[in-house]
């Protein structure tokens, strides 16, 4: 019996199919979750994919963070369920209070769409255990509001506790503080990142298959839980 990983679709989500494909490629069963669902259908982990939930009206991720399914996600995450937020999903997890900080407009106010090298800084999370610390992975980035920011105290805490999971290997293309591309919760079960690992699971269709490591890590975490 394999792990069941839920993938949420909000109105405006556009990377849910790709995220489901990545889950399936890892060997887990992808379970479709709708924004209005009142339960998580017995899944072992959840992916909050990228896109433009609710058209990014009000503020990116702000409306989605209050959707009925997110109440279940927040409760499950606080109980230890692995949760991954990708791009708009990362914004939603910050808005929901599962991760600290916020994502602002990119430096220079430009939408960035290109492949980026990331350095793996923390392999102790539910979504990064398949990597080697210090490894560099090639993942597509496509966002207009991906500049990670937080108070100086929060940044110091994240760095001090090793909660920066991924960092841009070169200059941060969006101006993120300390080149931060992804962070995790205190227990390492919730991870958010702006680049898109679901678009890097096969060299035939992406720049690499480096992104598959996140989904294989979650499968390990779910099976051994």
């Amino acid at each position: 019996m394999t792990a069941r990983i839920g993938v949420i679709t909000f109105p405006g989500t556009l990377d849910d199919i790709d995220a489901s494909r990545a889950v399936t490629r890892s060997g887990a069963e992808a379970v479709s979750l709708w924004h209005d669902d009142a339960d998580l259908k017995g899944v072992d982990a959840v992916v909050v994919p990228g896109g433009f939930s609710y058209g990014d009206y009000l503020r990116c991720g702000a409306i989605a963070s209050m959707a009925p399914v997110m109440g279940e996600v927040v409760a499950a995450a606080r109980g230890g369920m692995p949760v991954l937020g990708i791009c708009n999903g990362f914004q939603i997890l910050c808005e929901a209070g599962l991760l600290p900080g916020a994502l602002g407009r990119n430096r220079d106010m430009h939408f960035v769409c290109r492949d980026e090298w990331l350095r793996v800084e923390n392999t102790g999370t539910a979504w990064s255990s398949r990597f080697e610390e210090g490894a560099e992975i090639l993942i597509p980035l496509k966002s207009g509001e991906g500049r990670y920011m937080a108070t100086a105290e929060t940044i110091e805490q994240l760095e001090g506790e090793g909660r920066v999971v991924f960092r841009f290997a070169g200059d941060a293309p969006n101006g993120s503080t300390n080149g931060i591309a992804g962070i995790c919760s205190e227990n390492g079960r919730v991870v958010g990142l702006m680049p898109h690992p679901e678009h890097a699971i096969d060299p035939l269709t992406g720049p690499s298959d480096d992104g598959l490591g996140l989904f294989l890590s979650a499968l390990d975490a779910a099976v051994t839980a």
Side-chain angles (χ1 to χ4, degrees):
M1 186 176 188
T2 189
R4 288 161 48 84
I5 300 180
V7 179
I8 302 175
T9 300
F10 301 92
T13 295
L14 57 78
D15 291 318
D16 46 347
I17 301 300
D18 301 81
S20 294
R21 185 181 299 115
V23 167
T24 301
R25 181 66 64 89
S26 75
E29 177 187 355
V31 178
S32 296
L33 299 174
W34 183 235
H35 69 108
D36 203 31
D37 282 345
D39 68 82
L40 299 181
K41 301 181 180 179
V43 299
D44 302 294
V46 170
V47 176
V48 186
F52 301 91
S53 59
Y54 299 92
D56 278 350
Y57 289 116
L58 181 62
R59 190 174 59 242
C60 295
I63 300 176
S65 71
M66 296 182 284
V69 73
M70 284 306 300
E72 301 300 315
V73 170
V74 169
R78 289 177 176 160
M81 178 179 286
V83 177
L84 175 68
I86 303 169
C87 194
N88 189 226
F90 185 12
Q91 296 163 340
I92 293 169
L93 296 186
C94 289
E95 292 286 345
L98 287 177
L99 292 172
L103 287 307
R105 293 294 300 270
N106 291 345
R107 179 185 59 201
D108 302 328
M109 309 296 281
H110 294 309
F111 189 95
V112 174
C113 184
R114 65 192 193 210
D115 301 329
E116 282 289 335
W117 286 100
L118 309 181
R119 187 171 58 251
V120 180
E121 302 279 26
N122 180 347
T123 60
T125 81
W127 298 90
S128 61
S129 62
R130 284 289 188 111
F131 298 110
E132 293 184 3
E133 187 171 333
E136 294 191 357
I137 61 176
L138 186 61
I139 304 288
L141 174 71
K142 51 174 184 135
S143 54
E145 298 190 30
R147 180 168 57 91
Y148 183 76
M149 61 181 77
T151 65
E153 291 179 345
T154 297
I155 295 295
E156 183 179 3
Q157 183 179 16
L158 290 172
E159 296 284 4
E161 295 178 356
R163 290 168 56 190
V164 175
V165 184
F166 302 104
R167 200 186 307 271
F168 292 106
D171 179 47
N174 50 20
S176 284
T177 304
N178 291 2
I180 291 173
I183 61 172
C184 68
S185 58
E186 291 184 20
N187 64 4
R189 306 292 281 181
V190 180
V191 169
L193 78 165
M194 286 310 297
H196 287 259
E198 79 280 18
H199 295 326
I201 63 168
D202 188 330
L204 181 65
T205 56
S208 71
D209 60 359
D210 294 342
L212 194 58
L214 280 86
F215 301 94
L216 291 169
S217 298
L219 180 60
D220 292 346
V223 170
T224 59

